């Protein structure tokens, strides 16, 4: 069983990004710690939006927040109309999904043995 991750254990840029996503009404926001097992990043931030415009707004708000903090920057990839947008902030990667697309790719199931936290 994976250990639990606590909000206060997350780096400031990850928390700032989560707040930016919640400001745009992100649903089911989850952070998964993949340090030591992923060669790509340390954390995956996964959230759902109800529509393509909401995904776009979530991604732009997260990117703006990271740019303002100067602690992390990132690139947005993907088309909100596809149901999946990715923001690569290097130390963490944000995956924003429409509900059906999130169910289809099931990233949480892929990393089910890693510590995670749901952010409300």
């Amino acid at each position: 069983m994976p250990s639990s991750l606590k909000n206060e254990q997350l780096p400031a840029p990850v928390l700032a990004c989560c707040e930016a996503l919640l400001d745009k009404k992100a649903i089911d926001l989850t952070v998964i710690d993949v340090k030591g097992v992923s060669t790509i990043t340390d954390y995956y931030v996964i959230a759902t939006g109800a529509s393509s415009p909401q995904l776009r707004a979530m991604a732009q708000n997260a990117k703006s927040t990271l740019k303002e903090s100067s602690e992390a920057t990132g690139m947005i990839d993907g088309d909100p109309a596809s149901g999946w947008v990715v923001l690569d902030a290097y130390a963490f990667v944000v995956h924003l999904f429409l509900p059906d697309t999130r169910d289809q790719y099931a990233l949480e199931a892929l990393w089910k043995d890693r510590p995670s936290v749901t952010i409300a």
Side-chain angles (χ1 to χ4, degrees):
M1 178 139 206
S3 61
S4 181
L5 186 64
K6 295 184 179 6
N7 290 18
E8 59 270 8
Q9 295 172 306
L10 297 173
V14 174
L15 286 172
C17 181
C18 289
E19 287 298 320
L21 295 172
L22 290 172
D23 285 348
K24 295 298 179 184
K25 310 297 185 212
I27 304 165
D28 296 328
L29 180 57
T30 301
V31 179
I32 302 171
D33 182 342
V34 293
K35 285 191 305 276
V37 295
S38 172
T39 58
I40 298 169
T41 192
D42 292 337
Y43 297 93
Y44 286 120
V45 177
I46 304 169
T48 301
S51 66
S52 296
Q54 185 184 9
L55 291 185
R56 183 177 292 108
M58 289 164 51
Q60 289 297 331
N61 200 43
K63 184 175 180 174
S64 295
T65 297
L66 293 174
K67 187 176 180 181
E68 288 171 13
S69 75
S70 321
E71 295 183 43
T73 59
M75 297 178 5
I76 297 174
D77 193 19
D79 181 1
S82 75
W84 189 357
V85 176
V86 177
L87 171 65
D88 185 352
Y90 311 115
F92 61 99
V93 176
V94 181
H95 295 273
L96 305 174
F97 292 105
L98 292 177
D100 290 344
T101 309
R102 185 171 179 170
D103 290 343
Q104 178 183 353
Y105 288 99
L107 293 182
E108 290 96 337
L110 179 66
W111 298 102
K112 68 181 180 219
D113 295 335
R114 299 299 305 159
S116 65
V117 63
T118 299
I119 311 277

